[in-house]
Amino acid sequence: MFDAQDAPQPPKVLATPLEIASNLRLLQESHDPLIITFQDRTQRFQSYVVDVNRENNSLTLDEMIPREGERFLEAGVPFRVEGFHDGVRIAWECTTSLTIDDVNGHRCYRGALPGEVVYHQRRNAFRAALRLANLVNVEVAGEKLKTPIKGKLLDVSATGCKLRFEGDISQSMQLGQVYERFNAALPFGAMSTPVEMRYLHFEERLNITFAGMRFHNISGAVQRQVERFVYQLQREARQFDKDDDY
C-alpha cells in the first residue's frame, strides 16, 4: 500500500508562458539531462537546458550527445524532448526550426519556447541511498560493450539505480541503450538483470562518470531481490536516524 500522494497522477498540459518557463528553468538549474528523439527515428540523444528567456520567448539547448543529431536539426526533423525533475516528467514537442550557434566555444541550439509542456507527476518509487562505506560492486556488460565496465552502486529503487564509474566512460556507453547483463553483488546474493541507460554524465572535476539505469524486463525473482534490498536500506536509514537523536 502507498499513500495517496504517491499514487500516479494524470499528466497536466502547461500552456501559459509563465508555467512553461518556470518548469524549464527547473531543468536548467538542476542540470537535469534531456532525452531527445527525432520523428520516425529510434536513436536517442542527450542535451541540457542552458537558457530560458521569457523576454524574447526563447529556449537554448546544449550540444547534443552524440553530435550527429545535428543533421536532423538542420534538416528540420521534428523532435520530442523529455526530462525528469524529482520524479516529475517534463516533456514537449519541437516542430519549429532551431538555430545552431557557438557561444564562447560552446555549441548550442536556440529556438522558441514550446507552446505546450506536459507535466506528469508519477508515483515515486522509494530510492534508497547507500552509505559510502557500504557501496555495492556492480558490473555492466552486453553485446554493445567490448569489455564489462565495473563500478559502484550509489542508490537503488524498485525501478532503477544510480551508478558511479571511475574515469570517463561516456564514450563507451550510449543513452537509451539496453545492456543485457547488469550484475550487482548484494549482501544476500548476486543479482543480474538487463538495464536501460537513462542518464550519463562525466564529472570532469571528480574524474567520475555517473549513470542512471532503469531495470529492463526484470524477472519476478530479481524484482523481489531488489525490493528486499531497498527495504533493508530503508530500515538501516531509520535506525541511523534514531541513533542520531541521542
Side-chain angles (χ1 to χ4, degrees):
M1 297 293 291
F2 46 80
D3 295 333
Q5 63 265 29
D6 289 332
Q9 302 293 316
K12 301 176 186 174
V13 177
L14 309 179
T16 69
L18 178 61
E19 287 180 311
I20 289 168
S22 62
N23 279 278
L24 296 183
R25 281 202 187 98
L26 284 178
L27 296 174
Q28 176 190 351
E29 291 164 2
S30 301
H31 203 59
D32 295 316
L34 306 177
I35 297 172
I36 293 177
T37 48
F38 288 90
Q39 188 175 26
D40 301 326
R41 289 163 178 83
T42 57
Q43 186 176 4
R44 298 181 179 195
F45 301 88
Q46 181 171 295
S47 182
Y48 296 88
V49 175
V50 294
D51 186 55
V52 179
N53 192 318
R54 274 285 313 281
E55 291 180 9
N56 59 18
N57 197 40
S58 70
L59 172 68
T60 306
L61 301 180
D62 198 10
E63 177 181 353
M64 272 188 285
I65 306 171
R67 188 163 160 177
E68 66 192 64
E70 280 189 13
R71 61 193 174 97
F72 301 130
L73 275 187
E74 291 173 326
V77 179
F79 60 91
R80 167 180 285 274
V81 186
E82 180 182 56
F84 291 87
H85 180 79
D86 289 343
V88 176
R89 176 177 174 267
I90 300 172
W92 65 96
E93 304 274 352
C94 184
T95 55
T96 57
S97 60
L98 271 67
T99 303
I100 300 173
D101 201 356
D102 278 287
V103 178
N104 299 324
H106 294 286
R107 197 80 158 176
C108 63
Y109 318 115
R110 300 180 189 277
L113 280 176
E116 288 184 346
V117 164
V118 175
Y119 177 99
H120 191 186
Q121 171 72 60
R122 303 194 287 190
R123 182 176 73 85
N124 280 332
F126 178 85
R127 185 169 288 276
L130 283 73
R131 295 187 202 168
L132 286 176
N134 301 321
L135 297 185
V136 165
N137 291 323
V138 299
E139 181 180 273
V140 182
E143 290 182 6
K144 298 292 185 180
L145 289 174
K146 292 180 182 177
T147 57
I149 299 178
K150 299 179 186 294
K152 297 285 188 180
L153 180 68
L154 294 181
D155 68 34
V156 62
S157 75
T159 56
C161 57
K162 185 175 181 180
L163 311 177
R164 184 188 80 188
F165 301 95
E166 296 297 326
D168 184 3
I169 62 152
S170 59
Q171 301 305 310
S172 305
M173 308 185 89
Q174 185 180 331
L175 202 68
Q177 180 65 53
V178 173
Y179 298 99
E180 295 86 355
R181 294 180 302 283
F182 167 76
N183 301 310
L186 301 186
F188 44 77
M191 65 159 279
S192 183
T193 185
V195 288
E196 180 191 356
M197 173 73 72
R198 299 290 294 177
Y199 170 77
L200 188 63
H201 175 66
F202 173 58
E203 187 61 60
E204 189 173 0
R205 182 173 52 88
L206 303 173
N207 195 34
I208 287 174
T209 302
F210 295 99
M213 300 287 192
R214 177 179 290 173
F215 299 134
H216 182 78
N217 291 340
I218 190 169
S219 70
V222 176
Q223 183 75 64
R224 287 189 291 275
Q225 271 187 299
V226 172
E227 289 170 356
R228 177 183 171 189
F229 187 45
V230 171
Y231 175 72
Q232 177 181 315
L233 293 171
Q234 280 181 287
R235 191 172 53 191
E236 288 174 0
R238 283 197 297 268
Q239 186 61 48
F240 187 73
D241 288 342
K242 278 185 188 176
D243 293 345
D244 273 0
D245 291 339
Y246 296 98

